[in-house]
C-alpha cells in the first residue's frame, strides 16, 4: 500500500502545484519539497525489508485482457534508483528555488519537475513491463515539456522536439520489443519475464525483441548514434539538466538494461550490441567533451561518455560488471548532479558558461570552486573520490574482457575513454577555477547564497565519503541492487582505494598522465579538432526531418489533389473491379427463367430511350437541349413502369419528372447555358471506357438476375397479408404505409431535410459575392417583356381546383388503387406551382397563406405520432389499425391509421417541394427587390385595362 | 376485330412517336423540339389508353391523366424559359 | 419497456421537428430544446446499454410484422455501444456549438443536428438492410446541411464534392441491395445470412458481388483508400464543430462493416479491407505531418486513426475486433477533440485562422496548449490516454495474423509520425511567438467556458483509460456476440429457423 | 429480343451515360449524370422483382400471378430520396456558382483552366 | 352563400369530376364529394379574383356542342391538308382579330376555340387587349376567315360572358 | 353475340383506328410541314382528336365487354382540351418572339413576321404598354 502512495505522491504534488500555479514562491517550493521528502521517507520505511532481499509488491488488475496490471515492485535495484531519483530530486528543488529568476513564478516549473519525477519513479517501481512502458513514455513527454520550458527560445523548442522525436521514437520501438518479450514469456509481469530468461533467449523472436528494446534504451540513454539530442536538451534551465542528465532521464535506459539483464543478457548478440555501442559512445562523448566551450555542453558530452561506460559494463554480461555498473551509476549521479549545479552557479554568477571567458574563479568564489573541483576530480576519476573507485573497477572489468579475438580491444578503448574524461575534467578544473584570473566574464562573480551551493556541496561531501569509506557506505545498497539486477546473489563488493599494482591502476595512471598532457596541449589539440570539423548532428537531424516532411507533403498533395473526378473515377472503378472479382470467386451459372418476348412497341420505346440517352450525352454542353431530351428518358421510364405493371411507380415517376425539370430550368436560368469544353480527349476517352465498363456490368447483372427464378421473396407474405391484415388492396401502398412504414418515415424525413437545407442554402444567397452576381446578372438572350401571359394565367386558374381534386382523389384511393400520399402531395404542389408560373411568385405567394416549415414539421410529426400512437393501444410501434364503420346515410366506409400516416407523408412532400421550388424560384427577385410587392396576375388583363381606359 | 384494330392503332401511335422523335432531335428550332415533345406526350397518352383497352384494365388511366396535366406544365415551363429565362417570376 | 429501443430514433425526430417549429421564437428555446434532448438521448442510450449488458439480443418488430417481413430494430452490445458513443459526442458538440454561437451562423442548425442523430442512431439500430440505406440517406442529407452550415465559397465547393460522391455511393448501395433482394429474396440481415447459406452455387457469385458492393459503400463512408479522397476537403471545409460531429460518420461505415461482415458480406472480405486500411493509415498520418492547417491535420488524423481501427476490424477475429472496438470510441472522441480545439484556436487567436503559423500570444493560449497536448497524446497513442492501451491491444491481437509484421510496422511507425507531426504543430502554435506586437491579438480575455465541451471529451478519454478493464471486458463480450451469428439469427428470426 | 434484354440494356446504357456525365468537370452535367444514374437504379431495383406484363400488385382473391410488390415499394422510396438529393445537388451547384463564379466541380475558375490549357500548348 | 360558394359553377364541375373519377356511386362518396366541391374552391378562390359573371345553362352547352362539332370537322380538314396539300400550295397567313370581349376568361375561351378549330392557331394578344393574333394554316380570304370566327364564336361568347 | 354488341364492336374498332390514324397524321404533319407555325396545326388538332376518339372507344369498350365502366377518359379529354390550346399558344409565342428578336435557335428568321395591330398597340410578346407595365416593377 505504501508503494502505491509512493508512486502517486509526485503526481499529487504536481497537481497541488498546478492548483497553486500563481502561489508564493517558497510555499510552492515547500509543496514540492514536502512531496519529494515524504516519498523519500516512505521509501526509507520500505527499505530495510527490501535490503534484506525481500521484494515488496503491489498489484491490481487494470486491463486483464491485455495482461496490463497496475503492479509495482520494489527490489534492491528499484530501491537504489528510486532513492537517487528522490534524493537528488529534493536537492534539485532546493537548488531551483534559488536558481530560477526571482521575477518568474516557478509553480508550473516545479509541477513539471514533479510530474517528471513521478514518471521516473514509475519506471523504477513498475512490476509490469507494459506499465513501465507507460511511465517510460511519460518521461519522454514530461521531459519534452521541461526542455521546452524556455520555449520562447528557438533552441528550447528545437531541443525539446528533438528529444521527443528521438526518445519518443525509441519508445515506440520499445513498445514493440516489450510486447514481443511478453509474448515470449507469456506474461508482461516483470517477475515472470525475469524468471523465464532461458526461454526468452531461446526464442526465435529474441533477436527482434532485443534489438527493439535496445533501441529504446539507447535512444533514452543517448547512446551513439542517438546521442545528439542530449546536448541540445541543455537548452533547458540548469536544474532540469542537473536532474534529467545526471540521475534520471538518461539513466532510465541504463536502468532498463539492468532491469532486464537476467532476461536478455548473456548472449553473443547482447554482448556485441551493448558493449560495442557503449564503448563507441564512451569514447566519442569524452572526445567531444574535451573540445566544447560551454560548461553545460562539456558536462552533457561527459554524461554521454559515462552512459557509454555504463552501457558497456552491462554489456559484459558478468555479475561483477553489473555490480560495477550499478556502483558507477550511483557515483556518476552524485558527481554529475553536483557539477551541473556548479556550472549553473557559475553561469548565474559570472553571467556566462563559456570556458574561454572564464578562469581563475577560485579566488572569487572559493566555495563554488571547491565544490566544482572536487566533483570534477571525481568525474575524472582522481583518488580519493567515489568516481575513482568505480572507474578503477570499470577498467579492471574491461581489462578482463575480450572483443571477439581481440583481448586488447575493450581495455584499450576503455582506457581511451578514461583518458579523455580525465582530460576534460582537468579542463573543467583548470580552465574555470584555477589558472590566471580573467576579467572577460560579464558579471562580477562571487559565491552564491547558501541555498544555491548547499545542495551541490552536500553531493560533493557524499562523493568524498564514498571515496573514503566505500564499503561501509554503499555495500548495504549496492549488493541487494546487484542481486536484484542479476537475479543471483551478488559477488563480494570490496571497493578499495588501493588494490596493489593491478592493470586497472596502471591504466588509471596512464589516463591521468594522458589527461594532463591533453590539458597542457589543449590549444593545439583544439586547433586540430576544429580543422577536422566533423558533421554537426543537429543539422543532419533537421535536414532529415525537413526532407521527411517535404516528402509527405509531396505524397499527400499528389494523392489528395481534391479532384472530384478522381474521387468518382476510383469509386466506379473499385465497384466494377470488386463486382467482377466476386463473380470470379463466387461462381456463376445462367438462370433458367424463360424470358418475355418483346413486342415492337417495346422495342420502339427502347429505341426512344437509347436515343434520348445518346442525345443527352452528345448535347451535353447545350444545357437547355439536354433538359428537353432528358424528359424523353423520363417518359420512356414511366411507360416501362406502366407496361411492366407498376402503376404506382409510373405515377410517381411522372410527377417527380416534371418537378425535376422545373428545378433544373430554374437553376439553369442563372447558370451558364453553353459553357466551354474543358476536359481533354484522353480524359473523355477514359471516362467513356469507365462508363462502358460500369454500364456493361450493371446491365449484365440485371440480366443475370432477371433471367433466374425468384428465390421465394418475402413479399409473398405481404401479398397475402395486404388485404387481410393491412386493410388495403394496393400491396405497394400497404407496404409503404404499413409493412415498411418505417422506411417511408425515413424517406419523408429525407425529403424534409433536403428542403430545409435548400432553404438554408438559398437564404443567404442574396448577400455577399453571390448577391452581387445576382444583381449584376444579365440575360444572355433577349427576353420578351411579357411575364404573365394571359391565356396561361386563366387556364392555370381553372386547372388549380381540378388538379387539387385529382390530387385528393389520388390520395384517398391510394390504399386500394395506385396512388397515395406521396403522389397526391406532388400533384397538389404541381397545381400550385402552375399558379406561381402563371401569375408570378409574389402574387401567388401572397394568396397562399401557408408557411412550408410548419407543414414539413407537422408532416413528420404526424407520421411519427401515428407510429408512436400504436403504443397507446399496447401494439408495437408503427403498427397500423383499420376498421370499417357505418354511418346513417353515408354507409360503410373504411378508416385506417395508415391513412393518417399517409397524410403526414403528403404534408411533408407538399411542404418540402413547395419550400424548395418557391425558394429557388425567386432568389433573383430577392436580390433585386427590397420590399415585397404584389404583382399583377397577368400582364394583359383586358377587363382592368378597360377600367384603366375609362 | 377489335384486337386487330387495337394493334393497328398501337402501330400507328408507335410510328407517330418515332416521327416525333425525329422532329425532337432535328429541330431545327427550340420551339419545334418543345412541340415535338408535347406531341410525343399526347401520343403516349393515346398509347396508354389503347394499352388499357388491350389489357382490359383501368388502373393505367390515372397515369394518362397525370401525364396530360404534367405534360402541359412541362411544355409551358420550356417555353417560358425561352421567353423569359425565369419560369417563375 | 421494450419500446425504449425506439427512443434513440423518436427523441431526435421530435427534437428536430420541435426545434423547427419553435424556430421563430427566441433562439434560446431552440438551443435549450436541442441540448436537453441530446442529454435525454444520452440517458436513454445508457439505459439501453444497461439492457444490452444483460447479454441477450433484443429484437423489436416494428408494426408487429415479424422479421424478415417487417423492419426489425436490433439492440445488441455493439449497437448500444455505438449509440452511447454517439450521444456522448453529440452532447459535447451541441454544447460547443451553442456556446460558440455556431447555431446562429445559418438556418436550421438544430433541426439538422438532430436529424443527423436520427440517421446515425437508425443506422446502428436497424436489422434491415434497406432500412439501413434509408437511415444512411437521412444521416447523409442532414450532414450535407450541417457541412454547408455557415457556407462561404470554400465550404460550398467542398460541399459539392461531398454531396456528389455520397450520392454516387448511395446509388451503389441501392444496386447492392437490389442485387441482394433479387438473389436471396430478402432484405433482413439475419435472413440474408440464412438464405445465403443455401443458395445454389450458380448464385453465389451474384450474392458475393452484392456483398462486396456493400463493402465499397461502407468503405467509402469509413474513408478507406482509395475511397477516402473525399474526406480531407470536406471535413477541413466544414465548420470544425460540425466536423467533430462527423467523426462519428466514418465510424458508421466501420460499424456497418463490422455488422454486415459476418452476416452479409462474409468475413473473407477482410482480405480486401486489411491492405486498404494499412495503406490508408500510412497516408492518413503522412497527411497529418504534411498538413499546413489544423483543420486538415485533424481531418487526416481522423482518416489515419479510423484506418487503424479498420485494420483491427479487418482481421475479423474476436480478439482483434475487441481491440478495435476499444480503439473505436477513442479515435472518435480524440479526433472530435482535435476539431473542437481547432475551432477554439480559430476563435481565440487573432486573424490567422487555423494556419500553422506562430502568433502573438493571446489570452487562453496556455490552456489551449494543454488541451492540444492532451489531444495530441491521445491521437499519437501515447500514454497516459486510451490511445496507448488501444494500440497495445491491437498490436497484441495482430500478432497471430499473417499480416502481423505489416500491422506492427505501421501501427508503431504511424504513431512515431504522429508524434513528430503533433510536436511540430504544438510548438509552432503554442510555443513559438510572433515577433509582431501583441496588439494584433484580440484584446478581450478568451471566453474560457467555450472549452468546457473539449474538457468533457478529455474527461471521457480519461474515463476510457481508467476504466479500460471493464470496458475491454465489454468489448470482448461484444465481439463474441458479433461473431455469434446463430444467436443473432435466433434473436431476430425467432423460431423461424429452428429447423 | 426479350423484354428482359431491353430492360437490361437500357439499364446499362443509362448507367454508362450516368457515369460518363458524373465524371465531367462542371456541376450541371454531373447533376444530369446523377439523374441518369437514378433512372438506371430505379429500373434496376424494379427489375430485381422480375418482370411481368399487366400483373399489377393489386390484391384480389382470384389473382394468383402478380408482380413482386416489394421492389416497387423500394423503388418508390428510392425515387423520393433521389429526388430530394437531386434537388439539393442542383441548388447547391447553383449556389456554389453564384458564390464562386465558376461552375467547375473543383471550384477552379475558368480563367485558370484556360491558362493551363495554354501552358500545355 | 357567396362566401360559402365563391364559384358555384366551378363547385358543380368539381363535384361532377369527383363522381366521374370514383366512377362508383355511393352516398358516402357523394357527401365527401360535396364537401370537397365546397372546400376546394374556397381554398383556390383567392387565386381567381374578379371572375366574370357567366351565364350557365343552354348557351354554354350549345357553344360546347358547336365547338366539339367544329373540332371534328376541323380535324378532317387539317388531315386533308397535311396529307394531300403540297407545302408550296399551302396559303398560310397571319390574321388579326379585333376583340369585343373584355374579360380575360372570355378571350381565353375564344382563343382556345380558335386554336382547336379549322386550321387556325391563336398566337398572341395585343398589349391593350383589343386584338388577337391568329395564324391560319391555309386560307384564301383572310377577312372572311376573321368575320366567320367573330360571328361563329365571339358572338356566342358575348352572350355567355356578360 | 348480339347484333348490337357487334355494331358497337365495329364502332369501337373504327374509333380506335381513327384515333391511331389521326395521331399518325398529326405527327406526320409535324414532320412534313415547312415552318413551326404551320407544324403547330398538326398536333393541336389531329392529335387531340386522335386521343379523343381513343378515349371514346375505350369508354364504350369497357361496358360493352362487361367490364366496369370508367369515366376517367372524360377527364383526360377535358384536361387535354383545356391545355392543348395553351401549349400551342405558348409555343407560338416563343416562335414569334424568336422572329421578333431574330434568334435563329428560336425561329427560322426568314419567315413572315406577324403584322402589328392596327391601332398602334403592340403584341404582348413584343411589348407591354405603359398602362400594364406600370403594374410590374421590372
Ligand atoms: Na530529455
Ligand atoms: Na578558461
Amino acid at each position: 500500500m505504501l508503494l502505491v502512495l509512493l508512486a502517486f505522491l509526485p503526481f499529487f504534488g504536481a497537481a497541488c502545484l498546478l492548483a497553486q500555479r500563481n502561489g508564493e514562491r517558497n510555499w510552492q517550493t515547500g509543496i514540492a519539497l514536502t512531496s519529494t521528502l515524504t516519498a523519500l521517507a516512505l521509501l526509507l520505511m520500505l527499505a530495510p525489508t527490501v535490503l534484506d532481499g525481500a521484494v515488496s509488491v503491489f498489484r491490481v488488475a487494470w486491463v486483464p485482457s491485455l495482461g496490463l496490471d497496475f503492479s509495482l515492485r520494489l527490489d534492491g535495484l528499484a530501491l537504489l534508483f528510486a532513492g537517487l531519483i528522490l534524493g537528488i530530486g529534493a536537492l534539485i528543488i532546493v537548488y531551483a528555488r534559488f536558481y530560477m529568476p526571482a521575477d518568474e513564478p516557478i509553480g508550473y516549473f516545479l509541477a513539471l519537475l514533479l510530474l517528471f519525477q513521478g514518471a521516473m519513479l514509475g519506471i523504477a517501481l513498475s512490476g509490469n513491463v507494459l506499465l513501465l512502458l507507460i511511465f517510460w513514455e511519460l518521461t519522454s513527454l514530461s521531459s519534452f515539456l521541461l526542455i521546452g520550458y524556455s520555449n520562447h527560445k528557438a533552441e528550447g523548442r528545437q531541443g525539446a522536439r528533438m528529444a521527443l522525436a528521438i526518445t519518443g521514437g525509441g519508445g515506440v520501438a520499445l513498445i514493440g520489443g516489450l510486447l514481443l518479450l511478453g509474448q515470449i514469456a507469456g506474461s508482461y509481469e516483470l517477475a515472470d519475464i525475469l524468471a523465464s530468461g532461458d526461454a526468452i533467449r531461446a526464442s526465435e523472436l529474441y533477436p527482434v525483441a532485443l534489438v527493439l528494446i535496445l533501441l529504446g534504451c539507447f535512444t533514452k540513454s543517448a547512446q551513439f548514434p542517438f546521442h545528439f539530442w542530449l546536448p541540445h536538451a541543455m537548452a533547458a534551465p540548469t536544474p532540469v539538466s542537473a536532474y534529467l542528465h545526471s540521475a534520471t532521464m538518461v539513466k532510465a535506459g541504463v536502468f532498463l538494461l539492468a532491469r532486464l539483464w537476467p532476461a536478455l543478457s548473456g548472449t553473443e548478440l547482447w554482448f556485441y550490441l551493448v558493449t560495442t555501442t557503449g564503448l563507441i559512445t564512451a569514447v566519442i562523448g569524452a572526445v567531444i567533451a574535451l573540445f566544447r566551450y560551454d560548461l553545460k555542453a562539456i558536462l552533457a558530452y561527459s554524461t554521454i561518455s559515462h552512459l557509454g561506460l555504463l552501457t558497456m559494463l552491462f554489456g559484459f554480461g558478468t555479475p561483477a560488471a553489473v555490480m560495477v555498473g550499478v556502483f558507477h551509476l550511483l557515483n556518476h549521479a552524485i558527481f554529475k548532479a553536483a557539477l551541473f549545479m556548479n556550472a549553473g552557479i557559475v553561469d548565474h554568477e559570472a553571467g556566462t558558461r563559456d570556458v574561454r571567458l572564464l578562469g581563475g574563479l577560485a579566488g572569487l568564489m572559493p566555495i563554488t570552486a571547491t565544490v566544482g573541483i572536487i566533483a570534477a576530480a571525481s568525474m575524472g576519476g582522481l583518488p580519493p573520490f567515489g568516481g575513482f573507485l568505480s572507474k578503477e573497477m570499470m577498467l579492471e572489468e574491461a581489462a578482463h574482457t575480450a572483443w571477439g579475438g581481440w583481448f586488447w580491444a575493450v581495455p584499450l578503448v576503455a582506457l581511451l575513454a578514461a583518458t579523455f574524461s580525465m582530460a576534460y575534467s582537468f579542463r573543467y578544473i583548470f580552465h574555470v577555477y584555477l589558472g590566471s584570473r580573467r576579467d572577460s566574464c560579464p558579471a562580477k562573480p562571487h559565491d552564491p547564497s547558501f541555498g544555491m551551493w548547499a545542495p551541490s556541496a552536500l553531493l560533493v561531501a557524499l562523493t568524498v565519503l564514498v571515496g573514503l569509506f566505500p564499503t561501509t557506505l554503499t555495500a548495504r545498497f549496492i549488493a541487494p541492487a546487484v542481486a536484484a539486477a542479476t537475479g543471483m546473489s551478488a559477488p563480494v563488493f570490496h571497493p578499495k582505494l588501493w588494490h596493489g599494482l593491478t592493470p586497472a591502476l596502471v591504466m588509471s595512471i596512464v589516463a591521468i598522465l594522458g589527461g594532463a598532457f591533453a590539458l597542457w596541449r589543449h590549444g593545439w589539440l583544439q586547433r586540430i579538432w576544429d580543422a577536422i570539423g566533423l558533421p554537426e548532428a543537429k543539422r543532419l537531424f533537421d535536414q532529415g526531418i525537413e526532407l521527411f516532411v517535404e516528402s509527405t507533403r509531396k505524397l499527400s498533395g499528389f494523392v489528395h489533389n481534391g479532384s472530384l473526378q478522381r474521387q468518382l473515377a476510383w469509386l466506379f472503378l473499385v465497384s466494377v473491379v470488386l463486382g467482377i472479382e466476386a463473380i470470379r470467386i463466387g461462381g456463376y451459372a445462367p438462370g433458367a427463367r424463360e424470358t418475355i418476348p418483346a413486342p415492337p412497341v417495346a422495342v420502339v420505346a427502347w429505341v426512344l430511350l437509347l436515343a434520348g440517352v445518346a442525345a443527352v450525352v452528345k448535347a451535353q454542353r447545350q444545357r437547355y437541349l439536354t433538359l428537353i431530351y432528358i424528359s424523353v428518358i423520363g417518359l420512356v421510364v414511366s411507360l416501362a413502369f406502366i407496361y411492366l405493371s407498376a402503376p404506382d411507380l409510373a405515377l410517381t415517376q411522372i410527377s417527380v419528372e416534371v418537378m425535376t425539370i422545373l428545378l433544373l430550368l430554374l437553376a439553369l436560368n442563372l447558370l451558364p447555358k453553353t459553357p466551354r469544353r474543358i476536359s481533354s480527349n484522353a480524359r473523355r476517352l477514359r471516362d467513356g471506357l469507365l462508363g462502358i465498363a460500369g454500364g456493361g456490368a450493371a446491365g449484365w447483372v440485371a440480366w443475370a438476375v432477371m433471367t433466374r427464378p425468384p428465390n421465394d421473396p418475402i413479399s409473398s407474405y405481404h401479398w397475402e397479408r395486404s388485404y387481410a391484415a393491412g386493410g388495403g388492396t394496393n400491396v405497394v401502398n400497404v407496404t409503404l404505409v404499413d409493412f415498411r412504414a418505417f422506411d417511408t418515415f425515413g424517406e419523408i424525413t429525407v425529403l424534409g431535410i433536403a428542403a430545409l437545407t435548400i432553404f438554408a442554402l438559398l437564404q443567404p444567397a442574396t448577400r455577399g459575392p453571390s448577391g452581387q452576381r445576382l444583381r449584376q446578372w444579365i440575360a444572355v438572350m433577349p427576353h420578351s417583356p411579357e411575364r404573365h401571359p394571359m391565356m396561361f394565367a386563366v387556364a392555370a386558374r381553372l386547372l388549380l381546383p381540378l388538379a387539387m381534386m385529382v390530387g385528393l382523389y389520388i390520395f384517398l384511393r391510394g390504399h386500394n388503387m395506385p396512388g397515395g400520399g406521396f403522389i397526391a402531395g406532388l400533384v397538389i404542389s404541381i397545381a400550385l406551382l402552375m399558379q406561381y408560373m402563371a401569375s408570378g411568385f409574389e402574387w401567388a405567394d401572397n394568396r397562399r397563406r401557408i408557411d412550408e416549415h410548419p407543414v414539413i414539421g407537422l408532416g413528420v410529426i404526424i407520421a411519427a405520432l401515428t407510429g408512436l400512437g400504436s403504443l397507446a393501444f399496447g401494439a408495437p410501434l408503427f403498427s397500423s389499425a383499420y376498421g370499417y364503420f357505418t354511418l346513417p346515410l353515408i354507409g360503410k366506409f373504411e378508416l385506417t391509421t395508415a391513412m393518417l400516416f399517409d397524410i403526414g407523408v403528403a404534408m411533408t412532400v407538399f411542404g418540402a417541394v413547395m419550400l424548395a421550388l418557391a425558394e429557388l424560384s425567386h432568389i433573383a427577385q430577392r436580390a433585386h427587390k427590397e420590399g415585397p410587392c404584389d404583382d399583377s396576375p397577368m400582364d394583359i388583363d383586358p377587363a382592368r385595362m378597360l377600367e384603366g381606359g375609362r | 376485330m377489335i384486337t386487330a384494330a387495337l394493334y393497328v392503332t398501337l402501330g400507328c401511335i408507335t410510328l407517330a412517336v418515332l416521327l416525333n422523335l425525329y422532329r425532337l432531335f432535328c429541330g431545327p428550332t427550340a420551339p419545334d423540339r418543345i412541340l415535338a415533345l408535347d406531341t410525343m406526350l399526347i401520343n403516349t397518352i393515346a398509347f396508354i389508353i389503347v394499352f388499357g383497352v388491350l389489357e382490359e384494365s383501368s388502373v393505367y388511366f390515372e397515369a394518362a391523366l397525370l401525364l396530360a396535366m404534367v405534360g402541359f406544365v412541362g411544355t409551358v415551363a420550356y417555353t417560358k424559359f425561352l421567353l423569359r429565362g425565369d419560369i417563375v417570376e | 419497456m421494450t419500446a425504449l429501443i425506439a427512443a434513440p430514433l423518436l427523441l431526435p425526430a421530435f427534437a428536430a421537428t420541435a426545434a423547427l417549429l419553435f424556430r421563430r421564437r427566441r433562439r434560446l428555446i431552440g438551443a435549450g430544446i436541442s441540448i436537453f434532448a441530446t442529454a435525454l438521448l444520452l440517458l436513454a442510450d445508457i439505459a439501453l446499454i444497461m439492457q444490452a449488458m444483460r447479454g441477450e439480443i433484443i429484437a423489436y418488430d416494428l408494426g408487429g410484422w415479424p422479421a424478415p417481413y417487417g423492419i426489425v430494430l436490433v439492440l445488441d452490445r455493439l449497437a448500444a455501444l455505438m449509440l452511447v458513443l454517439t450521444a456522448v459526442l453529440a452532447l459535447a458538440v451541441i454544447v460547443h456549438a451553442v456556446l460558440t454561437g455556431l447555431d446562429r451562423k445559418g438556418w436550421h442548425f438544430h433541426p439538422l443536428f438532430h436529424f443527423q442523430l436520427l440517421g446515425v442512431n437508425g443506422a446502428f439500430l436497424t436489422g434491415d438492410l434497406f432500412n439501413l440505406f434509408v437511415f444512411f440517406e437521412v444521416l447523409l442529407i442532414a450532414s450535407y446541411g450541417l457541412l454547408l452550415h455557415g457556407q462561404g465559397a470554400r465550404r460550398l465547393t467542398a460541399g459539392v464534392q461531398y454531396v456528389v460522391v455520397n450520392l454516387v455511393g448511395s446509388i451503389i448501395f441501392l444496386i447492392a441491395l437490389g442485387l441482394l433482394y433479387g438473389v436471396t429474396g430478402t432484405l433482413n440481415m439475419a435472413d440474408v445470412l440464412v438464405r445465403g447459406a443455401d443458395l445454389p452455387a450458380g448464385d453465389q457469385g451474384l450474392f458475393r458481388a452484392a456483398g462486396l458492393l456493400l463493402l465499397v459503400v461502407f468503405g467509402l463512408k469509413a474513408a478507406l483508400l482509395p475511397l477516402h479522397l473525399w474526406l480531407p476537403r470536406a471535413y477541413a471545409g466544414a465548420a470544425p464543430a460540425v466536423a467533430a460531429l462527423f467523426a462519428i460518420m466514418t465510424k458508421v461505415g466501420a460499424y456497418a462493416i463490422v455488422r454486415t461482415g459476418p452476416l452479409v458480406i462474409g468475413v473473407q472480405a477482410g482480405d480486401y479491407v486489411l491492405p486498404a486500411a494499412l495503406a490508408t493509415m500510412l497516408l492518413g498520418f503522412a497527411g497529418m505531418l504534411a498538413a499546413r492547417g489544423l483543420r486538415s491535420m485533424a481531418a487526416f488524423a481522423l482518416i489515419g486513426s479510423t484506418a487503424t481501427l479498420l485494420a483491427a476490424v479487418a482481421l475479423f477475429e474476436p480478439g482483434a475486433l475487441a481491440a478495435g472496438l476499444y480503439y473505436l470510441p477513442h479515435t472518435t472522441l480524440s479526433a472530435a477533440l482535435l476539431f473542437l480545439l481547432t475551432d477554439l484556436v480559430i476563435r481565440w487567436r487573432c486573424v490567422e485562422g487555423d494556419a500553422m503559423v506562430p502568433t502573438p500570444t493571446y489570452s487562453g493560449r496556455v490552456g489551449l496548449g494543454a488541451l492540444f497536448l492532451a489531444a495530441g497524446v491521445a491521437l499519437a497513442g501515447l500514454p497516459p490516454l486510451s490511445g496507448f492501451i488501444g494500440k497495445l491491444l491491437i498490436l497484441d491481437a495482430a500478432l497471430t495474423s499473417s499480416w502481423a509484421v505489416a500491422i506492427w510496422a505501421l501501427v508503431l511507425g504511424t504513431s512515431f509520425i504522429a508524434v513528430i507531426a503533433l510536436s511540430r504543430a504544438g510548438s509552432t502554435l503554442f510555443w513559438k511567438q510572433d515577433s509582431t506586437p501583441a496588439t494584433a491579438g484580440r484584446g478581450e480575455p478568451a471566453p474560457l467556458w467555450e472549452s468546457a465541451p473539449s474538457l468533457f471529451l478529455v474527461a471521457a478519454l480519461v474515463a476510457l483509460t481508467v476504466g479500460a478493464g471493464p470496458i475491454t471486458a465489454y468489448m470482448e463480450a461484444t465481439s463474441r456476440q458479433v461473431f455469434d451469428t446463430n444467436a443473432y439469427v435466433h434473436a431476430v428470426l425467432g423460431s423461424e429457423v429452428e429447423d | 429480343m426479350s423484354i428482359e434484354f431491353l430492360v437490361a440494356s437500357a439499364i446499362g446504357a443509362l448507367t454508362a451515360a450516368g457515369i460518363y456525365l458524373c465524371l465531367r468537370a462542371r456541376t450541371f452535367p454531373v447533376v444530369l449524370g446523377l439523374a441518369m444514374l437514378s433512372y438506371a437504379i430505379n429500373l434496376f431495383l424494379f427489375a430485381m422483382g422480375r418482370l411481368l406484363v399487366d400483373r399489377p400488385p393489386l390484391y384480389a382473391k382470384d389473382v394468383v400471378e402478380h408482380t413482386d410488390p416489394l421492389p416497387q415499394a423500394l423503388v418508390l422510396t428510392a425515387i423520393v430520396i433521389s429526388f430530394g438529393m437531386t434537388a439539393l445537388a442542383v441548388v447547391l451547384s447553383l449556389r456554389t456558382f453564384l458564390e464562386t463564379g465558376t461552375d467547375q466541380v473543383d471550384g477552379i475558375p475558368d480563367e485558370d483552366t484556360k491558362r493551363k490549357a495554354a501552358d500545355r500548348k | 352563400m357567396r362566401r360559402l360558394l365563391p364559384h358555384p359553377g366551378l363547385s358543380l364541375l368539381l363535384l361532377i369530376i369527383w363522381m366521374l373519377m370514383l366512377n362508383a356511386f355511393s352516398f358516402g362518396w357523394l357527401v365527401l364529394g360535396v364537401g370537397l366541391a365546397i372546400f376546394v374552391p374556397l381554398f383556390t378562390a383567392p387565386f381567381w379574383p374578379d371572375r366574370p359573371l357567366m351565364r350557365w345553362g343552354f348557351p354554354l352547352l350549345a357553344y360546347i356542342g358547336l365547338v366539339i362539332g367544329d373540332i371534328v370537322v376541323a380535324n378532317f380538314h387539317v388531315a386533308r391538308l397535311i396529307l394531300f396539300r403540297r407545302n408550296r400550295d399551302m396559303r398560310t397567313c397571319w390574321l388579326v382579330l379585333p376583340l369585343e370581349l373584355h374579360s380575360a376568361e372570355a378571350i381565353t375561351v375564344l382563343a382556345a376555340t380558335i386554336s382547336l378549330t379549322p386550321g387556325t392557331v391563336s398566337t398572341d394578344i395585343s398589349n391593350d387587349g383589343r386584338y388577337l393574333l391568329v395564324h391560319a394554316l391555309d386560307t384564301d380570304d383572310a377577312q372572311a376567315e376573321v368575320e366567320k370566327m367573330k360571328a361563329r364564336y365571339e358572338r356566342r361568347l358575348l352572350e355567355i360572358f356578360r | 353475340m348480339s347484333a348490337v354488341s357487334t355494331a358497337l364492336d365495329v364502332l369501337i374498332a373504327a374509333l380506335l383506328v381513327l384515333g391511331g390514324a389521326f395521331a399518325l397524321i398529326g405527327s406526320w404533319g409535324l414532320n412534313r410541314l415547312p415552318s413551326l407555325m404551320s407544324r403547330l396545326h398538326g398536333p393541336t388538332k389531329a392529335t387531340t382528336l386522335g386521343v379523343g376518339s381513343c378515349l371514346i372507344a375505350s369508354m364504350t369498350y369497357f361496358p360493352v365487354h362487361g367490364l366496369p365502366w370508367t369515366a376517367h377518359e372524360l377527364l383526360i379529354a377535358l384536361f387535354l382540351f383545356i391545355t392543348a390550346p395553351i401549349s400551342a399558344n405558348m409555343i407560338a409565342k416563343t416562335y414569334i418572339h424568336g422572329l421578333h428578336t431574330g434568334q435563329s435557335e428560336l425561329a427560322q428568321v426568314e419567315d413572315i413576321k406577324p403584322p402589328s395591330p392596327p391601332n398602334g398597340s403592340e403584341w404582348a410578346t413584343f411589348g407591354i404598354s405603359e398602362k400594364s407595365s406600370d403594374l410590374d416593377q421590372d
Side-chain angles (χ1 to χ4, degrees), chain A residues 143 147 163 229 244-245 249:
Chain A
S143 67
I147 298 169
W229 68 261
L244 268 58
H245 308 124
M249 172 97 170

Side-chain angles (χ1 to χ4, degrees), chain A residues 596 645 652 708 715 729 773, chain D residues 3 50 52 59 68 76 98:
Chain A
I596 312 163
S645 38
T652 317
R708 57 193 61 220
S715 52
T729 54
R773 252 182 215 89
Chain D
I3 298 278
R50 313 300 190 273
L52 274 181
Y59 177 83
D68 189 337
L76 273 174
L98 290 175

Side-chain angles (χ1 to χ4, degrees), chain A residues 116 139-140 142-144 146-147 159-160 163-164 167 220 229-230 233 240 244-245 249-250:
Chain A
F116 175 79
T139 57
S140 302
S142 44
S143 67
F144 171 72
L146 277 169
I147 298 169
L164 183 62
T167 59
K220 203 75 155 180
W229 68 261
L230 198 150
V240 176
L244 268 58
H245 308 124
M249 172 97 170
V250 293

